[in-house]
Amino acid sequence: MTVSPSTPRELLASSEVGFGFTAPTTADEVRALEDLGIASLWVGGHVASPNPTPEVIVALARLSAQSTTAVIGSSILLLPLYPAAIVAKQLADLDRACGGRVVLGVGIGGEYEAEFRACQVPRNERAPRTDEAIPLLRELWTAEPVRHERGHYAMGDGEVRIHPAPRQPGGPPIVVAGRQPAAMRRAAILGDGWMPYMYSPRRYAESVATIRAEAEASGRDLTGFGWTLFSFISIRDDGDEARREAARFMGGTYRQNFEEMVRSVAIAGTPDEVTERLAEFVRAGVRHFVFAPAARDQTRTWAKLLRDDLVPNAAAAASR
């Protein structure tokens, strides 16, 4: 199977099953994954968290310079921590610099209260700030004068123009991440796609039904909407070893014990077990996977295995 790179909106709208990875840090590793035809690469990060991480827009800028063909995205940017005009300008510049390959993945965060204190944003405002910022970003990406006189991002009583516009008409697609019903509603009404994390296939299917119902109730057509999933992955000949590896990696990221949860919220096991798990997610509605490898030194090996065997086999199994 060859994974063909595409534009961000083509990737999200595709009915074919595809996948990408959280991005490695070096240009050589990024090029190696692009040479394998990997369709998308993603970066995450925080402003102030217990784990040392990059800041997301800086990481995305680095990735835009390291990559040439893959769709690149944030997984995720904590949108309420940032002034909307700054995000609009930085993403427009990045989208132009990389030839229109950017997806903006956004969420509201909240697990690290220190981030909100550090950015002087009340934690209880994170949801309304995000709901206000998403349509405002799209307005600002028109490169036309914009008035926004009320709300958390009020810009006074005059017009503001941010230009030049992004390379992509209308700006980068905005994919909403999260786990709760409020995030599903945000995706249904404001987003160009849905990207939950630490979900089981059953929960993913339930979220698809919720989003479709919310969209129908609001009169929105979801044509072109992207059904994505962020998942930790480990593939080993010993399935128990793979699950232990995934649990350790997730525990280091989230400072929790995932040994009991790993079977439901990760994709980990033998190649056959991973294939079946992927098929369950495809049946639930996933069309693009974002894999976070539990062992970085295995990324290329797993990428080849997923590209050539596991993902196409899972897609075929799900269609039967």
Side-chain angles (χ1 to χ4, degrees):
M1 175 185 179
T2 300
V3 181
S4 300
S6 57
T7 69
R9 293 189 187 278
E10 288 171 345
L11 182 146
L12 291 174
S14 177
S15 60
E16 299 296 317
V17 180
F19 69 94
F21 279 95
T22 53
T25 57
T26 71
D28 287 345
E29 292 171 314
V30 168
R31 281 194 294 270
L33 290 178
E34 288 191 317
D35 288 344
L36 290 172
I38 299 308
S40 67
L41 296 169
W42 303 75
V43 292
H46 289 273
V47 173
S49 73
N51 300 315
T53 68
E55 191 281 321
V56 179
I57 295 178
V58 171
L60 195 61
R62 182 188 68 224
L63 181 58
S64 75
Q66 294 172 329
S67 61
T68 57
T69 59
V71 169
I72 61 173
S74 56
S75 60
I76 56 151
L77 176 78
L78 300 181
L79 188 54
L81 296 181
Y82 296 77
I86 294 294
V87 174
K89 178 59 176 171
Q90 290 177 321
L91 268 292
D93 289 349
L94 282 175
D95 196 57
R96 289 175 62 83
C98 72
R101 293 185 288 119
V102 175
V103 175
L104 178 60
V106 301
I108 69 169
E111 63 267 40
Y112 303 130
E113 191 270 339
E115 292 193 289
F116 289 83
R117 286 191 283 106
C119 295
Q120 302 176 40
V121 173
R123 188 171 174 272
N124 63 359
E125 293 180 1
R126 64 194 193 280
R129 282 175 177 265
T130 302
D131 291 342
E132 179 183 342
I134 291 173
L136 178 56
L137 290 176
R138 294 195 179 106
E139 283 191 79
L140 293 169
W141 282 334
T142 65
E144 297 297 328
V146 171
R147 284 184 176 272
H148 192 77
E149 300 174 3
R150 295 183 178 83
H152 300 288
Y153 302 109
M155 297 183 291
D157 60 1
E159 294 180 330
V160 172
R161 184 186 181 199
I162 290 179
H163 60 102
R167 173 69 175 269
Q168 297 179 74
I174 300 174
V175 173
V176 175
R179 291 170 50 79
Q180 302 304 323
M184 298 172 205
R185 185 173 188 276
R186 182 172 299 115
I189 296 173
L190 299 174
D192 297 306
W194 170 235
M195 186 168 61
Y197 59 101
M198 291 195 296
Y199 258 31
S200 67
R202 176 191 57 79
R203 192 169 180 186
Y204 195 94
E206 291 172 351
S207 75
V208 170
T210 298
I211 289 169
R212 290 193 182 283
E214 291 280 6
E216 183 177 3
S218 67
R220 186 181 179 198
D221 180 0
L222 289 182
T223 299
F225 189 87
W227 300 102
T228 64
L229 172 75
F230 183 101
S231 180
F232 296 93
I233 190 166
S234 175
I235 310 167
R236 300 290 185 182
D237 291 335
D238 183 330
D240 289 334
E241 178 189 353
R243 285 180 283 274
R244 287 192 296 269
E245 180 175 63
R248 286 193 301 270
F249 184 75
M250 294 163 68
T253 300
Y254 291 105
R255 304 294 179 93
Q256 299 176 38
N257 186 338
F258 283 94
E259 289 183 7
E260 296 299 321
M261 297 174 59
V262 69
R263 285 183 180 272
S264 63
V265 300
I267 298 172
T270 66
D272 286 346
E273 289 172 330
V274 167
T275 298
E276 176 53 34
R277 188 67 165 170
L278 292 170
E280 291 174 2
F281 275 114
V282 174
R283 293 185 193 104
V286 177
R287 290 298 176 267
H288 195 79
F289 293 90
V290 178
F291 296 125
R296 279 292 186 186
D297 62 352
Q298 294 297 308
T299 300
R300 291 190 212 180
T301 300
W302 292 347
K304 293 176 185 176
L305 184 59
L306 287 160
R307 180 197 67 183
D308 295 339
D309 295 309
L310 307 192
V311 170
N313 291 345
S319 67
R320 290 197 288 267

